[in-house]
Amino acid sequence: MLPFIVPGWRKTGWNAVGGRRASGIFAFPSIIQSVAVADGVLKEELQPMPDSKDLKQREEAHWAKTSRLMFTHLGVWFFFGFIIHMFVVPLNKITIPILNFPLGFYMAAQGSLIVFVVMLFMFAKQQDKIDREFGFAEED
Amino acid sequence: MATQSSGGGSDFLNNLGRVYGIYTGGFLAFVILLAVLEQVGVPNKILGYLFVFFTLAVYAIIGVLSRTAQVSEYYVAGRSVPALYNGMATGADWMSAASFVGMAGTLFLLGYDGLAWVLGWTGGFVLVSILIGPYLRKFGAYTVPDFLAFRYGGNFARGLGVLVLVACSFTYVTAQIYGTGLIASRFLGMPFELAVFAGLVGILVCSMLGGMRAVTWTQVAQYIVLIIAYLTPIIILSTKKYGFPIPELTYGQAISDIVAREQQMLANGLATVASLKPHISPFINYSPLNFFAIILCMMVGTASLPHILMRYFTTPSVREARQSVAWSLLFIFLLYFSAPAYAAFSKLEVYTNIIGSDVSALKPWIFNWGELGLIQICGKNAGSIDAIIAACKAIAGHPGVVRLQDFVINTDVIVLSTPEIAGLPYVISGLVAAGGLAAALSTADGLLLAIANALSHDVYYKMIDPNAPTVRRLFIARILLLIVAVVAAATAATKPGDILAMVGWAFSLAMAGNFPALVMGVWWKRATATGAVCGIIAGFGLCLFYLVTTRYFPGAGVQYFGMTSLLNPVTGAPIVDIAKAMALPNAMEAFPTLAHPLANKVGWFGLTNIACGMLGAPLGFAVIYVVSLLGKEPSKEMQAYVDDIRKPRGRTVLEEKTI
């Protein structure tokens, strides 16, 4: 009897904790949430399918790769958006030959902008490649 | 269905290249025709009217042809806008009167420090593409509050989203209508108040009948006009001066000439160290903190502004949404990397041909702008030669030549006067005016639509009457568009003093209110409804508090909230003597004018209030994180939806009823 009661007690105990949390200050959004689910026509095909384990793994690998790409691009963005301009004073001592721009000024006026544009085209390609690799890309 | 489009529409979509090719050719032919008319002696005023009315008529025709009775066409252009064209439309949506007319002038005045705005208003698209835009497209929302409502448990989050949206879009749209009025009144000679309402008509014909669909196709047309108008004068100028038609490359020479001339002016006594701000030296106008804070706030604000995000709801696929962001930035880049060239050429012209020239030998174009009070010499409007000579004589010890400290120019003049400085025919000036008008109208369209859609879709349909039939939803949407437009125009007609500063504020408010909740909603499944609601309130609240206190209640800010004076970026000294200012009788005055010694000049950590998003957004992230972890994990279904948003394949998460 005891082994049966103890897990059961524990289970209700956990539920009680969850229940108390839900009825505290955190309660109101969860009430509204049910309204939200009802108010659009939602996608039904979310129930676990037979190959759901495989799908789960693919989803995780896809998201890991996507996140990595995100951080790489954010790194480049941060470097050309901020870091490089912190060195504007020494960079301004260098003049670009022929065009006569001081390099620090040029980076803020054009250089970083060109990097951003190129980056975005590259990102669109790279992310699409990742989506295709895991079979999550849209049909062409 | 989301991808459905009407029969006539798909025919149009298949021939986009041809349609806009013919349109561009027609526009160029029209410009040439006007140039010929000018040569045969048609007066300038008529040319100006022809320019404005022709372009407005074209936008109106596109607007009327794109009318629609379908909800998905009205809200998201049927999700059928190809990446390239959506990029152009976003470019026009993004570049406002302030970008077109004001940006080059800001760079003229601030030199290197002005580049904070160029960087801030371009780099944000990287964040749009990487963090938010394509995911919202996959989600399938009509508006940004739609996403917040779904992800964060309903109408409370939706209401907050609408609040943030209206707060950051309304002042912005007012500024655009103000810009429309300014350009129309300057080039057509209409009274300002009348010009505002004339501009309003131009805005409404584009958007009333066809919603997003009409706005998209007019914005593409407006982009073409504005970019031709922006680049033409400066390409001619560059060819004339340096024999090479790419001004973005030749202005390097102008910059080195400016640097040399700055030294020369100091040596000749034409400028004092106090009046001269070296063009390429950083951190003279902004402290490094504020320089980088402005860049960050403008970038993150870009990725949070609803009227920009909703443009990416219109592409046929997630893939195209990403490509479209790249195209958008390319089209925006074309203007922003040319703005510093405008600034450099104008500055060189002013430094060599105005500064140091005899007061009696100034060129006539100066007086055209001086009459309007936009150029001052020796402290008086440069209305005529006699006025200036008299004004300069009145200054003790004035040498009779214009010195740098005698010369004051309004930033709006730089772009608008370049054709005259270069000695180009009036038709180019008219072209520039048409471009400025296109920039102001297109941005106003996008913003009005964002506000009206939030009110009609989110507030009326989702919160008040979820059973409203399509006809009534579209009717309400149009009526609200009209009401918002009239209210914005009425506000603009009063010429509110703070309006331009408020555009900068919009970015920080959007950043603080939207960014943490949107990013966490996609990138962190554990983010809960309560967390997000608290995060939006805390972040947006702090940013709004900082803005309102530093601008409208600076005395209270100093007295009760420990605010101190902002610092002079060069010397590091406080820019106001707080003790002295607080001793004045009007120190605690609420809603003081901009001339008040404390208004906009106090704050925490020396942070300018334009960058209040720097305070709000980190707080928003922290609150969402902590409160989410304190609460229960979001439901399995919600986490599955988030997984779904992350994968481009498959149907959108939210499918709207369209019948």
Side-chain angles (χ1 to χ4, degrees):
Chain A
M1 285 298 113
L2 201 65
F4 173 77
I5 292 167
V6 171
W9 174 82
R10 210 183 254 160
K11 202 166 169 242
T12 47
W14 278 112
N15 274 354
V17 172
R20 199 168 58 228
R21 277 188 183 164
S23 62
I25 55 161
F26 305 107
F28 66 98
S30 59
I31 294 164
I32 302 164
Q33 190 162 313
S34 56
V35 180
V37 172
D39 84 2
V41 183
L42 302 174
K43 194 177 167 183
E44 329 82 40
E45 49 190 284
L46 289 164
Q47 307 315 320
M49 281 174 285
D51 60 342
S52 69
K53 204 166 179 191
D54 169 56
L55 180 71
K56 199 89 211 139
Q57 274 174 353
R58 276 198 300 149
E59 275 177 354
E60 272 164 19
H62 169 257
W63 194 243
K65 225 168 173 177
T66 301
S67 305
R68 213 157 42 235
L69 185 69
M70 181 270 280
F71 281 116
T72 316
H73 277 273
L74 276 190
V76 177
W77 167 79
F78 192 72
F79 180 82
F80 283 98
F82 301 90
I83 306 282
I84 193 163
H85 307 301
M86 293 175 184
F87 300 96
V88 51
V89 176
L91 286 177
N92 266 348
K93 297 207 170 81
I94 305 168
T95 303
I96 299 176
I98 304 164
L99 296 181
N100 266 329
F101 281 101
L103 188 57
F105 186 94
Y106 181 83
M107 284 317 293
Q110 285 183 22
S112 291
L113 274 61
I114 293 170
V115 172
F116 294 148
V117 173
V118 172
M119 237 175 105
L120 277 178
F121 280 103
M122 279 172 63
F123 173 75
K125 255 212 177 102
Q126 290 163 336
Q127 182 66 52
D128 191 44
K129 206 174 141 206
I130 293 176
D131 293 339
R132 282 174 199 277
E133 184 185 334
F134 294 94
F136 293 147
E138 295 145 302
E139 280 117 54
D140 291 285
Chain B
M1 278 306 298
T3 50
Q4 210 172 59
S5 57
S6 61
S10 60
D11 205 32
F12 168 68
L13 288 177
N14 292 334
N15 289 304
L16 278 175
R18 177 133 37 98
V19 171
Y20 282 106
I22 293 172
Y23 164 78
T24 309
F27 180 66
L28 291 175
F30 173 73
V31 175
I32 293 167
L33 174 74
L34 288 192
V36 172
L37 286 181
E38 183 179 5
Q39 294 308 312
V40 300
V42 174
N44 289 350
K45 198 166 178 185
I46 300 207
L47 293 178
Y49 269 102
L50 283 175
F51 251 118
V52 171
F53 284 118
F54 171 79
T55 49
L56 279 184
V58 172
Y59 307 149
I61 290 169
I62 299 175
V64 172
L65 287 180
S66 310
R67 69 188 179 279
T68 182
Q70 287 183 32
V71 173
S72 84
E73 291 283 348
Y74 188 88
Y75 284 113
V76 288
R79 300 204 201 275
S80 58
V81 185
L84 176 90
Y85 293 94
N86 193 48
M88 276 195 207
T90 312
D93 201 15
W94 179 239
M95 290 182 287
S96 57
S99 297
F100 190 95
V101 180
M103 172 71 90
T106 304
L107 290 164
F108 177 100
L109 276 190
L110 302 184
Y112 179 89
D113 288 354
L115 294 173
W117 301 95
V118 172
L119 282 168
W121 283 343
T122 51
F125 285 87
V126 174
L127 303 179
V128 172
S129 186
I130 294 175
L131 297 176
I132 300 172
Y135 301 104
L136 294 193
R137 166 65 187 82
K138 176 63 201 302
F139 172 71
Y142 278 177
T143 64
V144 171
D146 246 356
F147 174 77
L148 294 176
F150 182 82
R151 177 68 178 82
Y152 296 127
N155 282 343
F156 193 68
R158 187 189 296 279
L160 286 175
V162 173
L163 186 76
V164 173
L165 186 150
V166 172
C168 59
S169 303
F170 187 76
T171 47
Y172 203 155
V173 75
T174 309
Q176 297 315 310
I177 297 180
Y178 182 82
T180 319
L182 212 60
I183 293 169
S185 65
R186 225 175 266 172
F187 280 85
L188 302 180
M190 287 173 160
F192 177 79
E193 288 75 14
L194 194 68
V196 161
F197 282 93
L200 184 69
V201 174
I203 292 163
L204 286 176
V205 289
C206 301
S207 49
M208 267 285 269
L209 295 173
M212 193 58 162
R213 176 161 120 141
V215 166
T216 301
W217 301 119
T218 27
Q219 280 176 339
V220 175
Q222 285 162 335
Y223 177 79
I224 293 169
V225 170
L226 85 84
I227 202 69
I228 292 176
Y230 200 79
L231 296 181
T232 305
I234 195 172
I235 287 175
I236 299 176
L237 191 62
S238 169
T239 317
K240 269 189 164 174
K241 272 200 156 138
Y242 300 97
F244 192 66
I246 303 179
E248 294 81 4
L249 297 179
T250 56
Y251 84 87
Q253 189 54 49
I255 284 181
S256 61
D257 292 347
I258 289 171
V259 173
R261 178 69 182 155
E262 282 167 351
Q263 294 309 315
Q264 207 184 7
M265 289 192 307
L266 284 176
N268 295 348
L270 290 172
T272 57
V273 177
S275 66
L276 183 81
K277 292 182 170 175
H279 194 66
I280 61 164
S281 302
F283 314 133
I284 296 173
N285 304 285
Y286 300 132
S287 65
L289 170 76
N290 282 327
F291 181 82
F292 289 109
I294 288 173
I295 296 180
L296 187 69
C297 288
M298 295 307 124
M299 285 186 180
V300 178
T302 307
S304 322
L305 279 172
H307 77 285
I308 291 304
L309 291 176
M310 76 177 195
R311 283 245 43 105
Y312 300 105
F313 299 168
T314 64
T315 56
S317 66
V318 177
R319 183 187 298 125
E320 290 212 48
R322 287 198 196 97
Q323 291 165 350
S324 178
V325 184
W327 285 116
S328 308
L329 186 59
L330 178 68
F331 291 127
I332 291 163
F333 164 80
L334 286 181
L335 189 142
Y336 282 177
F337 98 126
S338 308
Y342 262 104
F345 289 146
S346 302
K347 201 161 195 170
L348 188 59
E349 169 73 20
V350 166
Y351 278 8
T352 49
N353 289 335
I354 297 180
I355 310 299
S357 85
D358 198 275
V359 174
S360 58
L362 289 169
K363 289 189 181 170
W365 67 265
I366 293 172
F367 307 117
N368 294 341
W369 299 101
E371 272 175 354
L372 300 169
L374 298 169
I375 293 180
Q376 295 188 333
I377 292 175
C378 294
K380 289 274 170 354
N381 288 346
S384 68
I385 285 236
D386 298 335
I388 296 175
I389 293 177
C392 290
K393 274 224 177 90
I395 296 176
H398 194 279
V401 296
V402 183
R403 299 168 303 176
L404 186 62
Q405 56 267 40
D406 298 329
F407 184 79
V408 177
I409 188 166
N410 182 299
T411 52
D412 292 348
V413 177
I414 304 300
V415 167
L416 297 177
S417 68
T418 297
E420 288 162 290
I421 294 178
L424 301 176
Y426 183 82
V427 67
I428 304 291
S429 298
L431 177 67
V432 170
L437 208 56
L441 289 176
S442 57
T443 308
D445 271 334
L447 287 161
L448 273 180
L449 199 64
I451 300 173
N453 285 1
L455 295 179
S456 65
H457 178 77
D458 290 301
V459 176
Y460 174 72
Y461 177 58
K462 293 288 185 175
M463 290 162 85
I464 296 175
D465 184 5
N467 299 316
T470 307
V471 179
R472 196 184 321 148
R473 285 171 67 189
L474 288 181
F475 176 73
I476 296 276
R478 286 173 179 140
I479 293 298
L480 282 168
L481 186 72
L482 188 67
I483 293 172
V484 174
V486 170
V487 173
T491 316
T494 65
K495 301 195 184 184
D498 281 343
I499 200 70
L500 291 175
M502 283 178 175
V503 173
W505 295 358
F507 284 77
S508 269
L509 288 173
M511 170 186 183
N514 277 342
F515 192 70
L518 290 176
V519 169
M520 299 285 250
V522 174
W523 289 86
W524 197 43
K525 283 188 206 170
R526 186 67 181 75
T528 65
T530 322
V533 164
C534 296
I536 294 174
I537 293 175
F540 184 72
L542 178 63
C543 185
L544 195 64
F545 167 80
Y546 192 69
L547 277 178
V548 170
T549 310
T550 50
R551 169 65 187 90
Y552 298 107
F553 303 94
V558 170
Q559 186 113 336
Y560 305 116
F561 301 108
M563 289 180 179
T564 52
S565 166
L566 301 186
L567 304 176
N568 179 310
V570 178
T571 59
I575 54 176
V576 264
D577 186 339
I578 290 279
K580 218 165 124 193
M582 288 302 285
L584 293 173
N586 67 348
M588 294 302 286
E589 188 179 291
F591 297 97
T593 61
L594 280 171
H596 189 276
L598 294 173
N600 287 339
K601 294 198 177 73
V602 295
W604 292 322
F605 324 114
L607 187 73
T608 166
N609 57 14
I610 293 173
C612 71
M614 287 291 284
L615 302 171
L619 180 71
F621 273 113
V623 169
I624 295 180
Y625 183 75
V626 171
V627 176
S628 289
L629 285 185
L630 287 176
K632 229 171 60 174
E633 197 176 359
S635 67
K636 281 274 168 293
E637 293 83 47
M638 181 52 67
Q639 299 198 30
Y641 289 136
V642 176
D643 273 329
D644 232 37
I645 293 172
R646 295 171 174 185
K647 292 175 293 189
R649 184 191 273 280
R651 286 165 51 192
T652 53
V653 171
L654 194 70
E655 295 273 348
E656 285 292 344
K657 285 179 284 182
T658 50
I659 322 119

mmCIF file of all heavy atoms in Angstrom, chain B residues 564-592:
data_model
loop_
_atom_site.group_PDB
_atom_site.id
_atom_site.type_symbol
_atom_site.label_atom_id
_atom_site.label_comp_id
_atom_site.label_asym_id
_atom_site.label_seq_id
_atom_site.Cartn_x
_atom_site.Cartn_y
_atom_site.Cartn_z
ATOM 1 N N THR B 564 21.340 64.610 -12.734
ATOM 2 C CA THR B 564 22.364 65.648 -12.737
ATOM 3 C C THR B 564 22.491 66.202 -14.143
ATOM 4 O O THR B 564 21.898 65.671 -15.086
ATOM 5 C CB THR B 564 23.720 65.069 -12.305
ATOM 6 O OG1 THR B 564 23.965 63.916 -13.115
ATOM 7 C CG2 THR B 564 23.725 64.677 -10.848
ATOM 8 N N SER B 565 23.269 67.241 -14.284
ATOM 9 C CA SER B 565 23.413 67.877 -15.588
ATOM 10 C C SER B 565 24.138 66.942 -16.561
ATOM 11 O O SER B 565 25.017 66.181 -16.172
ATOM 12 C CB SER B 565 24.214 69.157 -15.437
ATOM 13 O OG SER B 565 24.619 69.607 -16.702
ATOM 14 N N LEU B 566 23.739 66.989 -17.832
ATOM 15 C CA LEU B 566 24.531 66.309 -18.864
ATOM 16 C C LEU B 566 25.880 67.010 -18.953
ATOM 17 O O LEU B 566 26.027 68.154 -18.525
ATOM 18 C CB LEU B 566 23.806 66.377 -20.211
ATOM 19 C CG LEU B 566 22.409 65.759 -20.274
ATOM 20 C CD1 LEU B 566 21.896 65.791 -21.709
ATOM 21 C CD2 LEU B 566 22.409 64.331 -19.769
ATOM 22 N N LEU B 567 26.860 66.320 -19.551
ATOM 23 C CA LEU B 567 28.210 66.873 -19.567
ATOM 24 C C LEU B 567 28.600 67.361 -20.954
ATOM 25 O O LEU B 567 28.169 66.804 -21.963
ATOM 26 C CB LEU B 567 29.208 65.813 -19.099
ATOM 27 C CG LEU B 567 28.911 65.207 -17.718
ATOM 28 C CD1 LEU B 567 29.904 64.110 -17.400
ATOM 29 C CD2 LEU B 567 28.915 66.282 -16.649
ATOM 30 N N ASN B 568 29.410 68.391 -20.976
ATOM 31 C CA ASN B 568 29.976 68.846 -22.246
ATOM 32 C C ASN B 568 30.948 67.782 -22.751
ATOM 33 O O ASN B 568 31.856 67.389 -22.044
ATOM 34 C CB ASN B 568 30.712 70.174 -22.012
ATOM 35 C CG ASN B 568 31.343 70.701 -23.280
ATOM 36 O OD1 ASN B 568 32.046 69.989 -23.979
ATOM 37 N ND2 ASN B 568 31.090 71.958 -23.571
ATOM 38 N N PRO B 569 30.743 67.298 -23.999
ATOM 39 C CA PRO B 569 31.550 66.155 -24.450
ATOM 40 C C PRO B 569 33.037 66.470 -24.575
ATOM 41 O O PRO B 569 33.863 65.575 -24.473
ATOM 42 C CB PRO B 569 30.945 65.816 -25.815
ATOM 43 C CG PRO B 569 30.144 67.006 -26.214
ATOM 44 C CD PRO B 569 29.722 67.691 -24.958
ATOM 45 N N VAL B 570 33.383 67.739 -24.796
ATOM 46 C CA VAL B 570 34.800 68.049 -24.981
ATOM 47 C C VAL B 570 35.479 68.296 -23.640
ATOM 48 O O VAL B 570 36.506 67.700 -23.331
ATOM 49 C CB VAL B 570 34.975 69.273 -25.911
ATOM 50 C CG1 VAL B 570 36.451 69.601 -26.058
ATOM 51 C CG2 VAL B 570 34.350 68.996 -27.267
ATOM 52 N N THR B 571 34.867 69.157 -22.807
ATOM 53 C CA THR B 571 35.537 69.515 -21.559
ATOM 54 C C THR B 571 35.148 68.604 -20.404
ATOM 55 O O THR B 571 35.860 68.534 -19.400
ATOM 56 C CB THR B 571 35.162 70.953 -21.158
ATOM 57 O OG1 THR B 571 33.730 71.004 -21.006
ATOM 58 C CG2 THR B 571 35.588 71.943 -22.211
ATOM 59 N N GLY B 572 33.999 67.911 -20.520
ATOM 60 C CA GLY B 572 33.559 67.060 -19.418
ATOM 61 C C GLY B 572 32.902 67.848 -18.299
ATOM 62 O O GLY B 572 32.548 67.298 -17.267
ATOM 63 N N ALA B 573 32.716 69.155 -18.515
ATOM 64 C CA ALA B 573 32.072 69.981 -17.489
ATOM 65 C C ALA B 573 30.552 69.902 -17.646
ATOM 66 O O ALA B 573 30.057 69.687 -18.736
ATOM 67 C CB ALA B 573 32.535 71.425 -17.637
ATOM 68 N N PRO B 574 29.787 70.097 -16.549
ATOM 69 C CA PRO B 574 28.324 70.095 -16.666
ATOM 70 C C PRO B 574 27.861 71.213 -17.601
ATOM 71 O O PRO B 574 28.450 72.303 -17.598
ATOM 72 C CB PRO B 574 27.859 70.364 -15.231
ATOM 73 C CG PRO B 574 29.015 70.046 -14.364
ATOM 74 C CD PRO B 574 30.249 70.297 -15.176
ATOM 75 N N ILE B 575 26.812 70.941 -18.409
ATOM 76 C CA ILE B 575 26.368 71.997 -19.329
ATOM 77 C C ILE B 575 25.401 72.976 -18.671
ATOM 78 O O ILE B 575 25.178 74.048 -19.207
ATOM 79 C CB ILE B 575 25.756 71.419 -20.635
ATOM 80 C CG1 ILE B 575 24.642 70.431 -20.333
ATOM 81 C CG2 ILE B 575 26.810 70.785 -21.513
ATOM 82 C CD1 ILE B 575 23.954 69.921 -21.578
ATOM 83 N N VAL B 576 24.826 72.623 -17.556
ATOM 84 C CA VAL B 576 24.098 73.640 -16.774
ATOM 85 C C VAL B 576 24.572 73.604 -15.336
ATOM 86 O O VAL B 576 24.916 72.540 -14.814
ATOM 87 C CB VAL B 576 22.561 73.422 -16.722
ATOM 88 C CG1 VAL B 576 21.835 74.220 -17.752
ATOM 89 C CG2 VAL B 576 22.194 71.965 -16.783
ATOM 90 N N ASP B 577 24.562 74.761 -14.727
ATOM 91 C CA ASP B 577 24.897 74.835 -13.308
ATOM 92 C C ASP B 577 23.618 74.517 -12.543
ATOM 93 O O ASP B 577 22.728 75.351 -12.412
ATOM 94 C CB ASP B 577 25.397 76.254 -12.986
ATOM 95 C CG ASP B 577 25.888 76.339 -11.554
ATOM 96 O OD1 ASP B 577 25.488 75.479 -10.743
ATOM 97 O OD2 ASP B 577 26.667 77.267 -11.258
ATOM 98 N N ILE B 578 23.540 73.255 -12.081
ATOM 99 C CA ILE B 578 22.288 72.783 -11.486
ATOM 100 C C ILE B 578 21.876 73.641 -10.287
ATOM 101 O O ILE B 578 20.716 74.059 -10.168
ATOM 102 C CB ILE B 578 22.435 71.307 -11.038
ATOM 103 C CG1 ILE B 578 22.533 70.399 -12.266
ATOM 104 C CG2 ILE B 578 21.284 70.891 -10.153
ATOM 105 C CD1 ILE B 578 21.236 70.067 -12.911
ATOM 106 N N ALA B 579 22.833 73.964 -9.408
ATOM 107 C CA ALA B 579 22.501 74.707 -8.193
ATOM 108 C C ALA B 579 21.889 76.057 -8.553
ATOM 109 O O ALA B 579 20.879 76.485 -7.995
ATOM 110 C CB ALA B 579 23.754 74.898 -7.353
ATOM 111 N N LYS B 580 22.504 76.692 -9.565
ATOM 112 C CA LYS B 580 22.020 78.008 -9.975
ATOM 113 C C LYS B 580 20.639 77.896 -10.623
ATOM 114 O O LYS B 580 19.726 78.674 -10.334
ATOM 115 C CB LYS B 580 23.014 78.610 -10.982
ATOM 116 C CG LYS B 580 23.209 80.105 -10.813
ATOM 117 C CD LYS B 580 24.452 80.541 -11.583
ATOM 118 C CE LYS B 580 24.131 81.629 -12.570
ATOM 119 N NZ LYS B 580 25.238 81.830 -13.529
ATOM 120 N N ALA B 581 20.491 76.901 -11.500
ATOM 121 C CA ALA B 581 19.215 76.744 -12.203
ATOM 122 C C ALA B 581 18.098 76.385 -11.230
ATOM 123 O O ALA B 581 16.962 76.834 -11.385
ATOM 124 C CB ALA B 581 19.334 75.669 -13.285
ATOM 125 N N MET B 582 18.421 75.589 -10.221
ATOM 126 C CA MET B 582 17.386 75.187 -9.279
ATOM 127 C C MET B 582 16.970 76.351 -8.382
ATOM 128 O O MET B 582 15.894 76.331 -7.779
ATOM 129 C CB MET B 582 17.867 74.017 -8.412
ATOM 130 C CG MET B 582 17.973 72.700 -9.153
ATOM 131 S SD MET B 582 16.440 72.165 -9.905
ATOM 132 C CE MET B 582 15.516 71.609 -8.466
ATOM 133 N N ALA B 583 17.850 77.358 -8.287
ATOM 134 C CA ALA B 583 17.510 78.516 -7.461
ATOM 135 C C ALA B 583 16.576 79.479 -8.189
ATOM 136 O O ALA B 583 15.959 80.341 -7.575
ATOM 137 C CB ALA B 583 18.795 79.238 -7.044
ATOM 138 N N LEU B 584 16.467 79.315 -9.529
ATOM 139 C CA LEU B 584 15.589 80.205 -10.293
ATOM 140 C C LEU B 584 14.126 79.957 -9.910
ATOM 141 O O LEU B 584 13.756 78.843 -9.540
ATOM 142 C CB LEU B 584 15.756 79.943 -11.795
ATOM 143 C CG LEU B 584 17.105 80.317 -12.406
ATOM 144 C CD1 LEU B 584 17.179 79.831 -13.846
ATOM 145 C CD2 LEU B 584 17.336 81.808 -12.335
ATOM 146 N N PRO B 585 13.299 81.000 -10.033
ATOM 147 C CA PRO B 585 11.886 80.820 -9.654
ATOM 148 C C PRO B 585 11.144 79.800 -10.527
ATOM 149 O O PRO B 585 10.196 79.170 -10.070
ATOM 150 C CB PRO B 585 11.286 82.212 -9.840
ATOM 151 C CG PRO B 585 12.288 82.993 -10.619
ATOM 152 C CD PRO B 585 13.616 82.374 -10.379
ATOM 153 N N ASN B 586 11.595 79.611 -11.799
ATOM 154 C CA ASN B 586 10.848 78.680 -12.666
ATOM 155 C C ASN B 586 11.459 77.282 -12.678
ATOM 156 O O ASN B 586 11.148 76.476 -13.544
ATOM 157 C CB ASN B 586 10.773 79.234 -14.100
ATOM 158 C CG ASN B 586 12.132 79.268 -14.772
ATOM 159 O OD1 ASN B 586 13.157 79.099 -14.112
ATOM 160 N ND2 ASN B 586 12.149 79.489 -16.076
ATOM 161 N N ALA B 587 12.330 76.986 -11.719
ATOM 162 C CA ALA B 587 13.045 75.709 -11.751
ATOM 163 C C ALA B 587 12.103 74.514 -11.687
ATOM 164 O O ALA B 587 12.304 73.517 -12.367
ATOM 165 C CB ALA B 587 14.047 75.647 -10.600
ATOM 166 N N MET B 588 11.061 74.614 -10.888
ATOM 167 C CA MET B 588 10.175 73.465 -10.709
ATOM 168 C C MET B 588 8.975 73.495 -11.648
ATOM 169 O O MET B 588 8.062 72.687 -11.514
ATOM 170 C CB MET B 588 9.684 73.408 -9.255
ATOM 171 C CG MET B 588 10.779 73.119 -8.256
ATOM 172 S SD MET B 588 11.631 71.563 -8.601
ATOM 173 C CE MET B 588 10.376 70.395 -8.077
ATOM 174 N N GLU B 589 8.989 74.438 -12.578
ATOM 175 C CA GLU B 589 7.897 74.564 -13.539
ATOM 176 C C GLU B 589 7.710 73.250 -14.311
ATOM 177 O O GLU B 589 8.677 72.620 -14.727
ATOM 178 C CB GLU B 589 8.306 75.671 -14.516
ATOM 179 C CG GLU B 589 7.283 76.125 -15.501
ATOM 180 C CD GLU B 589 7.894 77.229 -16.354
ATOM 181 O OE1 GLU B 589 8.129 78.337 -15.817
ATOM 182 O OE2 GLU B 589 8.160 76.972 -17.534
ATOM 183 N N ALA B 590 6.449 72.843 -14.499
ATOM 184 C CA ALA B 590 6.183 71.663 -15.303
ATOM 185 C C ALA B 590 5.926 72.100 -16.742
ATOM 186 O O ALA B 590 5.467 73.214 -16.974
ATOM 187 C CB ALA B 590 4.981 70.922 -14.753
ATOM 188 N N PHE B 591 6.200 71.217 -17.712
ATOM 189 C CA PHE B 591 6.055 71.520 -19.139
ATOM 190 C C PHE B 591 6.752 72.824 -19.535
ATOM 191 O O PHE B 591 6.155 73.692 -20.152
ATOM 192 C CB PHE B 591 4.569 71.569 -19.527
ATOM 193 C CG PHE B 591 3.898 70.254 -19.346
ATOM 194 C CD1 PHE B 591 3.182 69.977 -18.201
ATOM 195 C CD2 PHE B 591 4.032 69.276 -20.327
ATOM 196 C CE1 PHE B 591 2.586 68.742 -18.026
ATOM 197 C CE2 PHE B 591 3.431 68.039 -20.153
ATOM 198 C CZ PHE B 591 2.706 67.769 -18.998
ATOM 199 N N PRO B 592 8.019 73.008 -19.149
ATOM 200 C CA PRO B 592 8.719 74.245 -19.531
ATOM 201 C C PRO B 592 9.054 74.232 -21.018
ATOM 202 O O PRO B 592 9.048 73.183 -21.660
ATOM 203 C CB PRO B 592 9.996 74.186 -18.700
ATOM 204 C CG PRO B 592 10.232 72.741 -18.490
ATOM 205 C CD PRO B 592 8.892 72.083 -18.441
#
